[in-house]
Amino acid sequence: IGWATYVLTKTDAAFNAALLLNIGLCIQNIPEGLAVAVPIRRSGISVKKSFFYGQMSGVVEVFGAVIGAALVTIVNAILPYALSFAAGVMVFVIVKELLPEAFQNKSEQTVPILGFMVIP
């Protein structure tokens, strides 16, 4: 999205936004790849294969992005409802699964409360 905006406008602000967006995505992808590769490595698979599988988990995102971009043009009318539904599902998962686990330790209840207030 960021690079497309830059290509269309050719402004310095759009370039800076595109660059920061890509840096953020790269930083976000590091723990995502590790979340796949580390358990594979711990199960006894070699470092090379673990790294390969971690990389392959990210390659799938490219195909998902292309399919998603194509679907956005087709289902544009219901997109706000679909995104609202997805946001609701994420909130449900947080409330149902993550918050009870975060409050298991009675001495550290302030951090989950602050995090839940800051994130939205």
Side-chain angles (χ1 to χ4, degrees):
I1 294 171
W3 290 119
T5 304
Y6 169 68
V7 168
L8 291 174
T9 61
K10 302 249 188 208
T11 63
D12 287 340
F15 176 79
N16 291 337
L19 186 61
L20 289 174
L21 178 65
N22 280 317
I23 290 170
L25 287 172
C26 289
I27 291 170
Q28 180 264 334
N29 283 338
I30 292 170
E32 192 175 306
L34 286 173
V36 173
V38 169
I40 293 172
R41 176 66 185 124
R42 288 188 141 194
S43 70
I45 306 231
S46 71
V47 173
K48 285 183 180 181
K49 280 189 178 180
S50 300
F51 180 79
F52 176 75
Y53 291 138
Q55 296 299 310
M56 289 300 104
S57 72
V59 169
V60 175
E61 293 177 13
V62 175
F63 300 112
V66 171
I67 292 169
L71 286 176
V72 164
T73 60
I74 296 169
V75 295
N76 200 15
I78 65 165
L79 190 59
Y81 304 107
L83 291 174
S84 298
F85 177 76
V89 169
M90 287 184 220
V91 170
F92 174 78
V93 168
I94 288 170
V95 170
K96 175 101 169 71
E97 301 290 333
L98 298 179
L99 281 181
E101 187 176 327
F103 287 115
Q104 283 179 351
N105 188 351
K106 299 287 184 199
S107 65
E108 297 179 6
Q109 291 186 350
T110 307
V111 174
I113 291 171
L114 290 175
F116 196 68
M117 290 170 45
V118 171
I119 289 174

